[in-house]
Amino acid sequence: MSASHAATVSHAPAEQPRLVNPIVPLGVGAAGILLTLVGAFMASSPEATTRVGYSWLIGMTFWTGLSIGILLLVQIHHIFDAGWSTIIRRTHEHWLAVFFPLALLFAPLVVLVWMHPGFIWKWTDIAQVGGDILYTKKSGFLSRGAFTGFTIAFFGVWIWLSYRLRKASFAQDVDGSADHTRANRVTAAYGIPATALSLTFAAFYWLMSLEYHWFSTMYGVWFFASCIRGALALTTLLCIYLVSRGILAGIFRKAHLLNLGNLMLAFTVFWAYITFSQYFLIWNANIPEETFWYNIRETGNWWNVGLILIFGHFLLPFLFFLQHPLKKKNGSMIFICTWILAIILLDFFYNILPAIKVDGAHGDPVNFHVTPWDVTALVGIGGVCFWAFFNSYAKQRCIPVRDPRIVESLHLHE
Amino acid sequence: MSQAHSQSSGAPILHGAGVLREVEPAVLPRPKLVENDRSFAWITDKVMGIIEGPTPRWWWWSMAVAVFVASFTVMGLAYLVSTGTGTWGLANPVNWGWAIVNFVFWIGIGHAGTLISAILCLLRQKWRTSVNRAAEAMTIFAVVCAGLFPVFHTGRVWFALYPGFLFPFPNSNGIWPNFHSPLEWDVFAISTYGTVSALFWYVGLLPDLATARDRFFVAGRMMRAKIYGFFAMGWRGSNRHWSNYEMAYLLLAGLSTPLVLSVHTIVSFDFAVSLVPGWHTTIFPPYFVAGAIFSGFGMVLTLMLPLRSIYRMNDLITQYHIDCMCKITLATGTMVGYAYAMEFFIAWYSANPFEGFAFINRAFGHYAWAYWTMISCNVITPQLFWFRKVRENTALVWVLSIFVNVGMWFERFVITVTSLARDFLPSSWGYYSPTVVDIFTYFGTFGVFSVLFLLFVRFVPLMAVAEIKAVTPQADAHAGHGHGEAHH
């Protein structure tokens, strides 16, 4: 089967595939992390140090969010018994190697919760918030112990699921047993609810509790929507890159690109639906204990950021993805996916940064601004993620050659 | 730098086109969507036989019962209109009661039809072909039942139908509907949804109506041939017809998908835009949509399993179809459970005493019986679908689908009534009970729905014959080249 099959699907150039040496992104990542540390220690004031901490949180949220989205995509693939995405799934599985490094990179934030209470999450400083009835009512959830325990549990869930999914998939390459596919379906069946719950409470702890007075039942769904959108955009960029390096050449086709574009259209609308619903219901009810979260995002230059999000996060990608031809062109897809990733990052800024107040307590938020440490943290954490990704890629195949649905994926056509 | 290994060295090829030489799929056939290798002719005979054959006795008995039950709605509504809305059990503080509960219940049921026909179409889930027709019919009939309640809750129902009252219309009195009210948004959302759903259903019917026309013509039953021919709109099955049909179907699927989401979103807004504890919560839109799909699939199972048995359609509605529907019920039921959990958690986390009380009251107050019925039916019952043995026990699946229907009615009851009965002022608290008129009206809608569904079963091809044929192995040009039957 295999030889004749290969003859029918291979349109690859003759050149040898060239994979990035994992040391390169590791070096970049290490440099980013080192520079961020320098930024933290060289900061001119406690507020500036705090700002570096926020840079780290934004970077962690961004890369962890994308990785959670990819974890969900792998599980959704298995639970649907999908065929077309089989070749893409292996690239996802390589990316799933990032969770353990991400857990280690999150550790400084947990340590800071204990060493410097109130450094990022104000509620961790009991001395400051202990007299606040709105804190004491929820102190059973917002405690440093619970924060630490749950954060470990979140990463534990993601690492465990990634380990299970990767192990079975790689083992199938060797023995060709369909039992691995069945095993991964079982993993996905319990893994999806586990991932949903963990990402929800991660969003509550890491993001929503930055303004611990504020609450929204939709917040977990919003984070889910961001994770999936980011994951699809990252997937597309990775696949186009891997084709350009000859690794997925003749394997990843326009039809796959089109399907990814269609999914991104769906999740662009979904993100807008979720975000609009949250905003609209809070705006319409006009209850001060909810509206303050949006009110402070209408001060300073956050108003402009909000407008950019409306047009850039929804309208532009929406109009783009309605255009069938654009979804089949590498150049246009590279543009829109990079745009989406940038705008998701901006959205995380929008959700995280206004927690820093001008007067340090309850006043207006600091304006939107980007510091060098935002960049170094992003590059640092991202570099480590790419190291884990390419490291995995160097050891295992680029597609699951013995997956039962591999032929459907290789033969995908519009 | 190169990570590719030479095959001659014995190491596996990891990357590049060379890896294709190692492709050797494990054997895991996809389930067949039509069992026992049934031919095209057999499929046509099986489905068309229902409308061509004599009317079975069970159908007459069922219709008699359905008409009898439907008469309760007629009685309830006649009494309401002649007497006034005071005959319903609404009283301060519960000024929304069974009417909106029943309205949301029926609207929700309709969602599975659109999900199967539109969203599963866009997702290329081919198992939908055996159940989409009946599910779409169910959607339209459910919308009819749902529409009765908002129309008749106006009391003087003729006002609801006058232009300018529910539907905006320039008039000399300068009276306009209240566009700030989500109830008015419902008017637009549901009328659009109903229209597009009916159109979608009808477009999908065209090839099969033409088949019925041709078969009646050949059989010499000219009156029927003319009637079906009229509705088939001259369909001849030419390439051009099929091409236009496919495009229209895809466009309608694309239109229906946001519509189905918008309808229940706006229904959720009926509650969520308010300040009432237990109603005002941001997760309501997707939570209502998930609940609607959940209840819709419950109803699809309730309807299709008996029909499968009566018409011996096990080869067309296979165990795989039942598995898929059970799993979607499980998934959406779990999503609903997630939403319940979020509501409860955030009510506590918000530290708002009114929100906290609303949920504690739901679980342990006067309506705790309704709340726990809801939790049992909507969250616990679908968890049984984790087990293959349960999914393969058709009678048990049918019973569980009834639980889903019951649970989703109670969900709407719990949301609507518990929050109003125990509002901000303890001095105004009350206990809502429906009157006989309420009960008659609601009970009768099952008759209305059944009458319409029985007429559908008798006179319209129950399944999309042309679509089913397209998912059989003999329709797959690549059947012998490693393609399975059920592409995803």
Side-chain angles (χ1 to χ4, degrees), chain B residues 28 97 134 198 214 240 271 328 364 368 373 406 432 463:
Chain B
L28 188 64
D214 296 344
R240 188 169 177 176
F271 301 93
I328 291 185
F364 304 108
T373 304
V406 170
Y432 171 83
M463 295 178 183

Side-chain angles (χ1 to χ4, degrees), chain B residues 206-226:
Chain B
L206 287 175
D208 292 347
L209 291 174
T211 303
R213 172 199 63 197
D214 296 344
R215 288 170 66 95
F216 279 123
F217 182 81
V218 170
R221 298 164 74 176
M222 300 312 290
M223 177 60 81
R224 288 191 176 219
K226 282 184 179 170

